[in-house]
Amino acid sequence: MSFDHRHLLGIETLKPHEITAILDLADSYVELNRRPEKHSDALAGLTQINMFFENSTRTQASFEIAGKRLGADVMNMAMQASSIKKGETLIDTAMTLNAMHPDLLVVRHPHSGAVDLLSQKVNCAVLNAGDGRHEHPTQALLDALTIRRAKGRLHRLNIAICGDIAHSRVARSNLILLGKMENRIRLIGPPTLVPGQFAEFGAEIYDDMREGLKDVDVVMMLRLQKERMDGGFIPSEREYYHRFGLDAEKLAQAKPDAIVMHPGPMNRGVEIDGTIADDINRSVIQEQVEMGVAVRMAAMDLLAQNLRKSRMEATG
Amino acid sequence: MTLLFTNARLINPEAGTDQMGALLVKNGRITEVLSEGAQPEQLFRARNIEPASASVVDCGGKCLAPGLIDIGVKICEPGERHKESYKSAGLAAAAGGVTTIVTRPDTTPAIDSPETLEFVTRRAQADAPVNVLPMAALTKGREGREMTEIGFLLDAGAVAFTDCDHVVTNTKVFSRALTYAKSCGALVIAHPQEPGLSAGAAATSGKFAALRGLPSVSPMAERMGLDRDIALLEMTGAKYHADQITTARALPALERAKNNGLDITAGTSIHHLTLNELDVADYRTFFKVKPPLRSEEDRLAVVEAVRTGLIDIISSMHTPQDEESKRLPFEEAAAGAVALETLLPAALRLYHAELLDLPTLFRAMTYNPAQRLGLASGRIAAGAPADLVLFDPDAPFVMDRFKLHSKSQNTPFDTQRMQGKVLATYVSGEPVFRRD
């Protein structure tokens, strides 16, 4: 088996060949998704519950479509509005759901490590859809797939990740994944948002965007997560845009065929200029969304195969 | 009542010795320290002791040391008796070789008035088999606004004044409290930390915290807090103890303050001496303590500071938490670990790792805390109370948290291999614990 995991909690525990296996399978789902009839029965008979303890539209929709295209019974639970407001602990919520026999649990939570904790208490496959500022593995996988399809390879690329690294789970998962696949990674942003300890991950750190973007193949912009700010990380949005917002002039430092990525949702005019985001020759932001569905289908397919196998072994 | 301990490996923290000998105890006090060789019968005859009224404990070559004196134990009375009571903590202490617990006032409500202090003293006397010495809050409600009735509280038995992990941020309030405490001769124990920098932190800044995505605090926050307190000590001349020094960066400041003649001592916790940040691994909340576990470099620097005596005191920082407070995502989980029963075996890890010898370890857990609090215990010497622990430093075991006597079992050492078992504990010559 080329992918031997019960859960997908983060990139940290994946080996390079397992990353490749997910991406290869995802490629085939991209083809499926582009057909008029986009249905498979990989998850037929299985129940998928999306538990989002934090607001999300895009990721939740992507997981929902992915599950439905594979024939799973999908249910969404907006946890913000429900039991935690009544004082139920995360573990009690997990136990309650577990009693409903789900097969795939997709979880997003505002605290780092919370999805890991929950996975220890349930006997189904758990997918981390983002935990605090820790990991967001499917985002990193969809970014990797997008890069691989645009650049023809996923190694020996110069990749810049720009913006609010400190508060970003997307940045962490990408840093780990792209590092495992042997790329050169630069982290660009003001030092309040790019702490020096990230240098220990083998990344190069820049606080000058023009310098940092020089000759890169991929520019990954991050959302400036205003809701995470205690206040005082940057002087103002306009100064941030002036120094770290991606515009044509700064992008000119990158390779002529460099691609521009953003995990969404974008703050146009804060971290990225609107015309660049819409430039079909540079921006792959729409492709990222498309790859997201395919990657999530692949991840759930592989986890479901492992789940079925372990149940077979348990019963027979 | 006479008690003779023979064939003992005597750990004498005051003299810094570790050698075979015997100990004669009468009416709860050590009356004589003997070198090996004396036969009980001859000795009793020579000292005019009726052999029938005396009992002999053959220590079998195991270690006999002063019982541990643990500054900073949280007992959750009043307020959260389901987490720990004087009875359960007392049993845990006895089983851990701790003969004196110095309790923290960070209860609900805080121990900040003579009335509350009298309540806990009564509870302790009724329930705990070991000595219990209470500390009181330095400011009312530990809120850092008004000082408590330091004089009355001293009269009621408070041995030190501390707001525990609450830092008195208002320097005017803190300097006045220090000045007033000095006039009463009271010891103030503070938590050196810059609270603005450490707010919300669950880990120490560094690669590990970055990888785990945990909000973190720079180790510099400890030095900043200590630097401020040292400046206030120069101003006020108060008697001060830093509860936990856990980082290398804070040590030079501490050394300078001591060399400058300030009345300052420092402690550290057993967890910061024996664990590091990587032990948190996959968000294991039993390893969440305050301040957070540090890097391995910091840990080794602090061990070295204990060896040289720069850090005076090792504490358990015993902090009971129930399962519900710990079974949460790491950031939301409560901080703290129980440690009364694991203090000695954990400390012995440093002995087995050949980082510290036994007299040095016991100096930091018996003699130094006793001296700082003005107690007669903590010594192997004629006249000292016979508060003793008999232990086998080598006996191996696997830690099972459900066998702890504490009501809460949140120990980070669960399932770990440890060495060092307490065989018996004596308070004023009376056995309060014996291993079967």
Side-chain angles (χ1 to χ4, degrees), chain B residues 147-170:
Chain B
M147 69 178 91
T148 52
E149 294 172 311
I150 294 174
F152 279 156
L153 286 159
L154 273 174
D155 294 344
V159 295
F161 293 82
T162 179
D163 280 355
C164 302
D165 62 338
H166 286 188
V167 177
V168 183
T169 48
N170 185 325

Side-chain angles (χ1 to χ4, degrees), chain B residues 70-393:
Chain B
D70 192 3
I71 299 181
V73 174
K74 166 122 184 225
I75 294 174
C76 308
E77 292 189 59
E80 295 175 300
R81 209 197 293 183
H82 67 285
K83 290 187 178 177
E84 192 81 292
S85 66
Y86 279 93
K87 189 171 185 181
S88 60
L91 292 172
V98 178
T99 50
T100 300
I101 49 184
V102 182
T103 57
R104 301 204 315 246
D106 55 342
T107 46
T108 324
I111 300 168
D112 60 358
S113 69
E115 291 76 15
T116 326
L117 191 78
E118 276 161 23
F119 164 77
V120 298
T121 308
R122 262 203 319 277
R123 296 277 312 140
Q125 280 166 355
D127 282 352
V130 300
N131 305 310
V132 178
L133 301 175
M135 298 193 283
L138 182 67
T139 67
K140 289 174 187 159
R142 300 195 299 130
E143 286 171 350
R145 286 201 285 270
E146 305 163 60
M147 69 178 91
T148 52
E149 294 172 311
I150 294 174
F152 279 156
L153 286 159
L154 273 174
D155 294 344
V159 295
F161 293 82
T162 179
D163 280 355
C164 302
D165 62 338
H166 286 188
V167 177
V168 183
T169 48
N170 185 325
T171 45
K172 191 165 261 176
V173 171
F174 194 41
S175 68
R176 283 179 184 155
L178 286 167
T179 304
Y180 193 87
K182 178 185 159 57
S183 74
C184 304
L187 173 67
V188 173
I189 300 185
H191 183 66
Q193 191 70 219
E194 166 48 48
L197 213 49
S198 63
T204 303
S205 300
K207 187 182 177 189
F208 181 77
L211 185 64
R212 286 287 175 271
L214 291 172
S216 61
V217 57
S218 164
M220 197 62 93
E222 182 172 290
R223 189 187 118 188
M224 290 169 70
L226 184 65
D227 277 338
R228 182 201 75 154
D229 288 3
I230 288 171
L232 289 170
L233 289 187
E234 282 187 32
M235 251 171 77
T236 60
K239 190 173 170 185
Y240 174 99
H241 175 73
D243 66 346
Q244 298 181 72
I245 295 295
T246 59
T247 62
R249 284 240 170 89
L251 295 173
L254 176 64
E255 191 166 15
R256 275 197 304 278
K258 283 189 162 187
N259 291 342
N260 289 343
L262 298 179
D263 192 356
I264 181 172
T265 50
T268 193
S269 95
I270 189 64
H271 299 115
H272 291 91
L273 284 174
T274 53
L275 304 168
N276 69 28
E277 58 186 351
L278 300 181
D279 287 304
V280 171
D282 289 327
Y283 305 101
R284 295 193 288 174
T285 57
F286 279 14
F287 290 81
K288 183 175 180 182
V289 292
K290 195 174 176 184
L293 291 174
R294 308 301 194 180
S295 68
E296 179 65 2
E297 293 75 36
D298 279 330
R299 182 185 81 85
L300 291 173
V302 172
V303 171
E304 175 61 14
V306 171
R307 194 188 66 75
T308 62
L310 178 58
I311 287 180
D312 305 86
I313 293 170
I314 301 173
S315 296
S316 72
M317 295 310 288
H318 182 82
T319 305
Q321 297 290 1
D322 54 18
E323 301 287 304
E324 280 65 40
S325 325
K326 285 288 187 183
R327 281 175 30 154
L328 291 169
F330 197 83
E331 281 169 64
E332 291 184 320
V338 293
L340 277 169
E341 263 175 281
T342 49
L343 176 58
L344 183 57
L348 287 169
R349 284 186 165 185
L350 302 170
Y351 163 69
H352 291 295
E354 296 179 1
L355 293 167
L356 300 175
D357 59 23
L358 288 177
T360 306
L361 266 180
F362 275 81
R363 183 184 66 198
M365 297 192 290
T366 62
Y367 182 70
N368 285 349
Q371 291 295 305
R372 195 51 171 156
L373 296 172
L375 309 177
S377 52
R379 305 165 64 215
I380 296 283
D387 293 352
L388 299 165
V389 56
L390 177 66
F391 66 99
D392 178 348

Side-chain angles (χ1 to χ4, degrees), chain B residues 39-75:
Chain B
Q39 289 301 313
E41 297 79 21
Q42 291 170 354
L43 185 77
F44 291 149
R45 215 174 307 128
R47 300 288 185 279
N48 268 334
I49 296 163
E50 179 63 39
S53 75
S55 44
V56 177
V57 179
D58 183 349
C59 299
K62 303 298 185 216
C63 293
L64 187 65
L68 308 185
I69 299 168
D70 192 3
I71 299 181
V73 174
K74 166 122 184 225
I75 294 174

Side-chain angles (χ1 to χ4, degrees), chain A residues 12 91 111-112 133-134 172, chain B residues 210 212-213 283 327 331-332:
Chain A
E12 199 191 342
I91 290 186
H111 290 307
S112 303
R133 35 174 112 164
H134 178 221
R172 268 179 192 71
Chain B
R212 286 287 175 271
Y283 305 101
R327 281 175 30 154
E331 281 169 64
E332 291 184 320

Side-chain angles (χ1 to χ4, degrees), chain A residues 80-132:
Chain A
Q80 278 201 313
S82 79
S83 47
I84 43 169
K85 286 264 152 67
K86 298 174 190 162
E88 191 176 57
T89 68
L90 178 64
I91 290 186
D92 286 336
T93 307
M95 303 296 266
T96 306
L97 276 181
N98 196 45
M100 299 178 194
H101 298 291
D103 304 288
L104 294 153
L105 214 49
V106 178
V107 187
R108 169 171 287 189
H109 197 281
H111 290 307
S112 303
V115 180
D116 195 300
L117 177 69
L118 193 143
S119 74
Q120 296 163 20
K121 308 291 170 186
V122 296
N123 41 26
C124 61
V126 175
L127 286 97
N128 182 0
D131 63 323

